[in-house]
Amino acid sequence: MFKNNLLEGKNILITGGGTGLGKQMSETFLKLGASVSIISRRESHLIEAEKYFNEMGYRIEAEKCDVRNPDELKKAIDAIEGKTGSINVLVNNAAGNFISKTEDLSPKAFDTIIGIVLNGSSYASLEMGKRWIKNSVKGTVLSIVATYAWTGSGYVVPSAVAKAGVLALTRSLAAEWGHYGIRTVAIAPGAFKTEGAWSRLLPGEQYENEIIEGNPERRLGTKEEIAVIAAFLISDMASYINGEVITADGGQSLYGASMFNMMERLPEGVWKIMRQR
Ligand code: HXC
Ligand code: NAP
């Protein structure tokens, strides 16, 4: 779909880039000519990702960092920029989530998710934005949200609250920082089978079928389907897209939203009777 050098000159920082969708985005960006650095908390994730990309013939920078801590973030970004030069794309991908009845949550459980998703994305955007404005860098922030940023969702309430905040951040900064040439964009994925999401959100394998049945395409998304949208959005081909969110969920969030979509299950004979009536 893309020219091999689409992302040449892009120096990209991906939070949570060592696993799942973040790792796939790293791979796609590297293949399209970008430089990629990743940060996350667990050294094992960073080491495994570095090894994986080295074996493919790519070099990445990886720094241990908890995005909830703005000082750690600043140090990690300083260290990366010291080695790679000025970062010009930030991907806010790091997240924490789990399913729980909301009444069972402690304040700390709320703080943990809001801290990673909303504060982490805000601190990273702020740190990069300050640098870009000071050095006249026309940077791009891509944030990974979720379709329940608009609708909300039971049983993942801290995540829904935090993703709604990240959506507001994306739209607000598009208006405020657009005149610096800084773009802020987002992707809202539907259901993608990553170890991180599945292990925390699915009570058992049988629920995977329910997710599939609740999707008009009757399937989950593939990680590549997010990575190609990400590549487009951070590329110069998307230079007039600012403050926008692309949903990639096979239509799942619309499927449950309309009153008449259940007519899909209406037997053929009933359609004929309805027409005669
Ligand atoms: C209720 C829970 C809980 C659970 C943790 N807590 N898990 N409460 N139900 N299942 C509570 C703890 O009891 C504690 O509060 C507080 O949350 C913090 O927990 P810790 O384990 O100390 O936190 P920490 O070690 O910082 O780990 C963060 C984490 C963990 C979010 C809890 O799951 C994690 O590391 N996640 C990172 C990866 C991830 O979540 N990926 C999924 C992304 S998928 P108390 O008060 O008891 O001390 C996604 C979108 C999916 O985001 C959309 C699908 C369509
Ligand atoms: P994942 O593999 O669990 O990715 C989350 C990443 O965030 C991990 O690499 C984790 O690494 C990192 N992380 C967590 N807490 C962090 C912290 N405090 N500081 C720094 N890094 C931290 O899950 P995923 O499915 O790929 O999710 C990627 C993104 O897509 C997330 O924003 C998620 O909300 C979004 N999303 C996913 C789905 C889906 O179906 N999979 C649907 C909608 C949206 P460490 O453990 O090493 O810190």
Side-chain angles (χ1 to χ4, degrees), residues 185-247:
V185 288
I187 301 174
F192 291 78
K193 191 172 182 174
T194 63
E195 161 68 22
W198 252 229
S199 63
R200 292 172 176 96
L201 300 171
L202 244 61
E205 277 301 315
Q206 70 272 27
Y207 290 89
E208 184 176 312
N209 281 336
E210 285 205 25
I211 292 178
I212 291 169
E213 284 307 309
N215 190 304
E217 289 194 19
R218 301 284 186 271
R219 68 179 180 93
L220 303 171
T222 65
K223 295 197 257 306
E224 291 80 1
E225 284 173 316
I226 293 299
V228 290
I229 299 168
F232 167 65
L233 279 178
I234 64 167
S235 79
D236 295 338
M237 303 299 288
S239 49
Y240 209 46
I241 298 178
N242 196 9
E244 198 49 78
V245 191
I246 296 188
T247 297

Side-chain angles (χ1 to χ4, degrees), residues 4 33 40-42 46 51 60 81 90 108 117 132 138 141 149 164-165 174 179 185 209 226 238 242 265:
N4 286 338
S40 77
R41 297 162 304 169
R42 284 174 203 152
L46 300 173
K51 187 167 173 278
I60 63 160
E81 290 200 323
L90 165 69
K108 192 179 162 202
V117 176
W132 290 341
K138 294 183 191 306
V141 180
H179 71 100
V185 288
N209 281 336
I226 293 299
N242 196 9
R265 294 190 291 276

Side-chain angles (χ1 to χ4, degrees), residues 41-42 68 95-100 104-110 112-113 116-117 145-146 148 159 163 189-192 194 196-197 200-201:
R41 297 162 304 169
R42 284 174 203 152
R68 288 172 285 191
N97 204 355
F98 46 73
I99 49 164
S100 173
D104 290 343
L105 293 174
S106 66
K108 192 179 162 202
F110 247 97
T112 300
I113 304 307
I116 301 170
V117 176
V145 295
Y148 52 58
S159 173
K163 295 289 190 186
F192 291 78
T194 63
R200 292 172 176 96
L201 300 171

